[in-house]
Amino acid sequence: MFVTGLLLAAEGSPRLGVPRQLLAYRGETLLGATLDTARDCGFDQLVVTLGTAADQVRDRIDLDGVRVVDTPHADTGSSSIVPALDVIDRRTDGLVILRGDQPSVTSAAVWSLVAEAATPIGVTRYDDGRGCPCWFGRETFGSLRSLRSDHDLWSLIETGPHPVTDVDAVGNVPVTVDTWDDYQTLVGHYSAAPADPLIPPAAVPIRTRRPNHTRTTT
């Protein structure tokens, strides 16, 4: 089976006032840590969508080996998933969709989802509800193209035409970062090092960039 990972990192963060992708997390950035998790999954193809903070992300985050899709209109509510579908490998049997601000999702949860989803759509069910990662088989791609925003993904899951399998995962839905309180909660969830300070993105250490990642502009 050929599996593509699609990491959604285009959404803006108006409540934060700074790009959430570049917040400090475990000695690097929030998106950098989430990309590390996605790479650990060993997807056959890994795609990431970026929004208006794309240039800052490229300056600070290693995107080596990742197919990057620029989706600047995602900040105004347009779907970043739809343009990403244009770069999906023709061999892909299905997509695993991940959020760019959920670094605590595990590769075990991802592959349990892929293995146990017996229907075109598979959703991870945590102790407190549904969340990412989500699986979308190739037969759902036409429906994905009809999305007006990334948030409409949940309408497709809950009321769309495709059967859905819920795959159990341990614990609660991983924290997402929409507010500073969310961020403080996230950095307080690990104890290997002191919690990161609330660092604006310009102060996040710049990582070494590798020049050979693929860029797609839409």
Side-chain angles (χ1 to χ4, degrees), residues 46-68:
L46 179 56
V47 179
V48 61
T49 62
L50 298 179
T52 55
D55 288 343
Q56 295 174 67
V57 169
R58 285 186 170 90
D59 283 340
R60 293 178 169 86
I61 295 177
D62 176 12
L63 296 170
D64 184 49
V66 179
R67 186 69 181 264
V68 178

Side-chain angles (χ1 to χ4, degrees), residues 7 9 21-22 27-40 46-48 50 53-68 204-214:
L7 187 61
Q21 297 89 347
L22 300 178
E28 55 175 318
T29 60
L30 181 58
L31 178 56
T34 308
L35 271 170
D36 289 343
T37 298
R39 288 186 175 103
D40 287 344
L46 179 56
V47 179
V48 61
L50 298 179
D55 288 343
Q56 295 174 67
V57 169
R58 285 186 170 90
D59 283 340
R60 293 178 169 86
I61 295 177
D62 176 12
L63 296 170
D64 184 49
V66 179
R67 186 69 181 264
V68 178
V204 175
I206 297 176
R207 299 184 62 186
T208 301
R209 296 178 61 191
R210 302 178 187 177
N212 60 343
H213 63 269
T214 302

Side-chain angles (χ1 to χ4, degrees), residues 3-28:
V3 178
T4 293
L6 175 55
L7 187 61
L8 305 181
E11 189 176 5
S13 44
R15 295 182 183 179
L16 294 172
V18 295
R20 77 184 79 190
Q21 297 89 347
L22 300 178
L23 292 172
Y25 182 75
R26 305 192 77 164
E28 55 175 318

Side-chain angles (χ1 to χ4, degrees), residues 98-115:
L98 301 155
R99 286 182 57 112
D101 60 351
Q102 286 185 319
S104 53
V105 169
T106 66
S107 58
V110 167
W111 290 111
S112 291
L113 175 70
V114 173

Side-chain angles (χ1 to χ4, degrees), residues 78-101:
S78 298
S79 175
S80 69
I81 296 170
V82 174
L85 291 171
D86 291 336
V87 306
I88 300 303
D89 193 290
R90 68 180 62 185
R91 296 168 292 176
T92 296
D93 295 296
L95 299 172
V96 174
I97 294 183
L98 301 155
R99 286 182 57 112
D101 60 351

